[in-house]
Amino acid sequence: MLSTLRIRSIGVIEDATLEFGPGFTALTGETGAGKTMVVTGLTMLLGARLDRGRTGTAATVDGTLTLAGHDRLANALHELGAEEEDGEVLVVRRVTRDGRSRAHIGGVPVPIGTLSALVGTAVTVHGQSDQQRLREPDAQRDALDRFAKDDVAPLLERHEQLWEQRSALRDQLAELEDLLQRRDREGTRLREALERLERTDPTPREDDDLRSELERLGNAAELRAAADQAALALVGDDGPAAAPLLDIASEAVSRAARTDSTLTPLGERLEAARIELSDLAAELSRYADGIDASPGRLDTANERLHDLTALVRDLGPVLSGPDGPPESVTALLENSRHAAAALDRYDGAEEEREQVAARLAALEEDLDQAATDLTAARTRAAAQLSGAVQEELRHLEMPDADITVTVTAHAHRHHGRDAVAILLAPHPGAEPLPVAQAASGGELSRVMLALEVALAAHRQDRTAAPVFVFDEIDAGIGGRAALAVGQRLARLARHAQVIVVTHLPQVAAHAGTHLRIEKTSTGGATSSRIDALDRQQRIRELSRMLAGDDHSDVALAHAQELLDDATAVRTEPGEGTP
């Protein structure tokens, strides 16, 4: 239930608080007083945008929702971490001067989409646009599904699950079909490439190592001469060399150390240097001796590098990677591992495709049966809904109208293969036509009201009464039809909280709570205020609505009679508000 609504800085409403009753609340006032601003505030709580033309400053709407019975909403708010107090939660929506929007539920900031998804489970706003929405086939199917929720919802959920599973299997089958086509096209090439790679048997970085070796082999004479010269400079016998001089230094320090032991460490270091120098000379000699300058080795290395280069060139396009064909043996070997895995996938694709196709065929049968069951449930519900709405239209001064809810075949979709249509014959002899074509504006309002009353009356769960907000649902009607609309709104309020913006006294008289919005001008500034009316104030307001005069004795008497009659009907056994 929506217990309070506070609106600040929307249109002519500077700051107003509305307190709603648990059943039927009527909101009345002169044209232009700001009744539409109240509906605008309510829609803001559902995530709707605020037209910048309606405010020149920041606008804020606070709403207090009672959570009793709304288990789904309460659980969602608990997961969100929202705070509640005495079973109520505060919903806040603020739009800044520059159009930016902020929303909080129970003190927790939430995106506007979350605000709409959560509050929308409890509050439904019906305006002229919603009447137009009733003309759409999907909205009519949703209405039928809501009417038969207990029967249809499990079948619809199963159908949607099977539909999703079928979509996933179809995608998997298409992927396997593509894989098999690529197998036929690429499998042979991959096998031949891997076989050639295996015959050549390269090792990682072998091509780079060969290029380095060829560089050495091409300069073998110079490299050997340099190594020999360096070795002679270290330990040569025929000319100046480092080793003999280092021997002299080491011998001199050793003799002196026998006199002064502080030189002993230096002598040890000279001995270590002499040994290291000898090792360096030996390494250089081995390097020089190890350089193979034979033409045979040069030819062998060149030939192997040529084979590896050709391998990369020829197999690169076949074993291409994410960055294109490989440019080295190492990259080629890396890609070959992926190719081998692809071949393994190709080899198992045929069997996997058969398995997926079999599962898909079985699922198609289950989905077909689920759609058949769904159609049967909707067809049964359509007959019941037709009768319920027909009965409501009789009470709404459309006794000769014939309403029929039909379920016909449609292309299979995630919600079944049913097209639901509400057909209306406004008078005897008229051909039943879709409600979008057959109903006038006033008739469409009454059809929508009849549908909501029928849906609410058919609900099995009475613990979480929904909140319905009707914005001038009585537009285009008057007289007895207006009185009937008031009575049916009161009946709807037995199962839901009903908030109605109306200009008809016949409708307002049936409300349990009556709020009046009044526009005032002070010092050149215009604003509106909202007052809850007691019985005498209601009589005066109804008089104004009846005759445009709240002082006429005749109008006041008529207003009192209208209110007394509506109160008597509303409080009859079985007609009380929840």
Side-chain angles (χ1 to χ4, degrees):
M1 187 183 100
L2 184 65
S3 55
T4 62
L5 180 73
R6 184 182 181 188
I7 299 173
R8 284 171 284 177
S9 302
I10 298 182
V12 294
I13 300 180
E14 291 182 359
D15 191 342
T17 299
L18 295 80
E19 295 186 0
F20 302 108
F24 181 2
T25 298
L27 182 66
T28 64
E30 295 280 5
T31 300
K35 298 188 297 295
T36 302
M37 298 301 100
V38 175
V39 178
T40 298
L42 284 165
T43 58
M44 283 179 64
L45 288 184
L46 297 176
R49 290 186 176 182
L50 176 63
D51 184 353
R52 292 191 182 185
R54 297 195 183 280
T55 179
T57 182
T60 305
V61 178
D62 305 343
T64 305
L65 278 173
T66 301
L67 299 177
H70 289 281
D71 294 339
R72 178 183 171 190
L73 176 59
N75 291 336
L77 294 180
H78 178 73
E79 291 293 327
L80 191 67
E83 296 180 358
E84 61 176 87
E85 184 175 351
D86 297 330
E88 293 185 335
V89 64
L90 180 65
V91 182
V92 180
R93 172 81 184 281
R94 179 176 174 81
V95 178
T96 62
R97 186 192 300 269
D98 58 5
R100 289 182 297 176
S101 185
R102 301 286 186 272
H104 292 76
I105 300 180
V108 178
V110 295
I112 301 303
T114 301
L115 177 72
S116 176
L118 292 179
V119 181
T121 63
V123 182
T124 302
V125 176
H126 287 289
Q128 295 297 321
S129 61
D130 297 278
Q131 295 180 29
Q132 298 303 317
R133 190 175 63 85
L134 185 61
R135 300 172 183 263
E136 300 173 2
D138 286 348
Q140 296 175 24
R141 186 194 66 253
D142 290 341
L144 178 61
D145 289 350
R146 280 191 289 137
F147 178 77
K149 180 179 179 181
D150 291 343
D151 294 331
V152 170
L155 298 175
L156 179 58
E157 181 179 5
R158 171 165 171 73
H159 183 278
E160 290 176 339
Q161 289 174 349
L162 291 172
W163 181 274
E164 292 178 1
Q165 293 173 19
R166 186 185 71 165
S167 298
L169 284 177
R170 282 183 167 181
D171 292 343
Q172 187 178 356
L173 189 61
E175 180 183 350
L176 289 169
E177 294 285 0
D178 180 65
L179 189 66
L180 289 171
Q181 289 180 4
R182 284 190 282 121
R183 180 197 67 177
D184 297 338
R185 186 172 61 250
E186 299 177 3
T188 300
R189 295 173 60 207
L190 285 178
R191 283 191 177 85
E192 291 175 349
L194 292 177
E195 288 171 0
R196 179 177 170 185
L197 191 64
E198 186 176 359
R199 288 194 303 271
T200 305
D201 194 22
T203 58
R205 294 191 55 81
E206 185 179 356
D207 50 348
D208 294 332
D209 293 341
L210 283 171
R211 291 187 182 93
S212 298
E213 183 182 2
L214 287 170
E215 182 72 18
R216 290 197 304 274
L217 292 174
N219 296 277
E222 292 84 352
L223 293 173
R224 183 184 292 111
D228 288 340
Q229 184 179 1
L232 288 173
L234 293 175
V235 297
D237 296 330
D238 298 335
L245 295 174
L246 191 57
D247 289 342
I248 295 171
S250 179
E251 177 62 25
V253 171
S254 295
R255 287 196 308 269
R258 287 194 289 270
T259 303
D260 185 357
S261 61
T262 58
L263 290 174
T264 298
L266 295 178
E268 292 173 350
R269 291 174 61 186
L270 283 170
E271 179 62 19
R274 189 179 65 80
I275 294 171
E276 177 65 19
L277 186 145
S278 178
D279 288 343
L280 282 172
E283 288 287 340
L284 288 169
S285 296
R286 284 194 294 272
Y287 172 80
D289 293 341
I291 294 179
D292 184 3
S294 66
R297 177 54 194 164
L298 188 63
D299 292 341
T300 300
N302 271 316
E303 187 175 322
R304 179 62 175 174
L305 181 60
H306 177 270
D307 291 343
L308 295 179
T309 302
L311 191 72
V312 173
R313 180 195 64 212
D314 297 342
L315 301 188
V318 181
L319 302 178
S320 183
D323 298 328
E327 297 180 354
S328 67
V329 166
T330 302
L332 187 69
L333 289 171
E334 178 66 26
N335 289 357
S336 71
R337 285 194 286 272
H338 298 297
L343 278 177
D344 291 340
R345 181 87 167 95
Y346 288 154
D347 292 338
E350 188 75 45
E351 181 180 356
E352 187 177 355
R353 180 184 63 175
E354 293 177 1
Q355 294 174 350
V356 171
R359 289 165 54 197
L360 182 59
L363 190 65
E364 290 282 8
E365 294 181 4
D366 292 342
L367 183 63
D368 181 72
Q369 185 60 51
T372 300
D373 294 344
L374 190 55
T375 298
R378 281 173 172 158
T379 302
R380 291 191 300 270
Q384 298 174 10
L385 181 58
S386 298
V389 176
Q390 183 78 50
E391 177 65 17
E392 290 302 322
L393 289 179
R394 185 178 66 81
H395 292 290
L396 289 170
E397 296 299 317
M398 293 178 65
D400 297 327
D402 184 24
I403 196 88
T404 305
V405 181
T406 64
V407 180
T408 56
H410 192 279
H412 207 166
R413 292 178 289 176
H414 71 93
H415 49 66
R417 54 188 178 209
D418 306 321
V420 177
I422 299 177
L423 304 180
L424 175 68
H427 51 80
E431 179 184 358
L433 294 173
V435 68
Q437 303 174 24
S440 65
E443 290 171 337
L444 189 61
S445 296
R446 281 180 279 174
V447 170
M448 185 180 72
L449 177 57
L451 185 61
E452 288 293 6
V453 173
L455 292 176
H458 198 70
R459 287 175 59 245
Q460 299 297 319
D461 179 15
R462 302 296 186 189
T463 61
V467 181
F468 292 110
V469 181
F470 293 100
D471 182 16
E472 297 191 1
I473 191 175
D474 47 24
I477 60 176
R480 293 177 58 187
L483 189 63
V485 167
Q487 293 171 347
R488 302 328 283 172
L489 285 169
R491 182 167 187 254
L492 177 60
R494 292 165 52 193
H495 311 296
Q497 184 185 26
V498 178
I499 301 170
V500 179
V501 176
T502 181
H503 64 280
L504 294 180
Q506 298 95 324
V507 172
H510 285 84
T513 301
H514 191 155
L515 304 178
R516 179 183 63 204
I517 184 166
E518 185 176 3
K519 184 167 62 176
T520 59
S521 298
T522 305
T526 301
S527 62
S528 293
R529 71 178 191 184
I530 300 173
D531 298 315
L533 305 183
D534 59 22
R535 174 177 170 80
Q536 291 303 316
Q537 291 170 326
R538 290 190 70 179
I539 292 173
R540 288 192 174 279
E541 175 65 4
L542 292 175
S543 174
R544 180 196 65 77
M545 298 172 72
L546 283 165
D549 184 359
D550 61 357
H551 292 86
S552 166
D553 291 339
V554 174
L556 288 169
H558 188 187
Q560 181 173 338
E561 181 182 4
L562 182 64
L563 182 60
D564 289 342
D565 290 345
T567 302
V569 170
R570 183 163 47 84
T571 56
E572 286 179 358
E575 292 292 328
T577 57

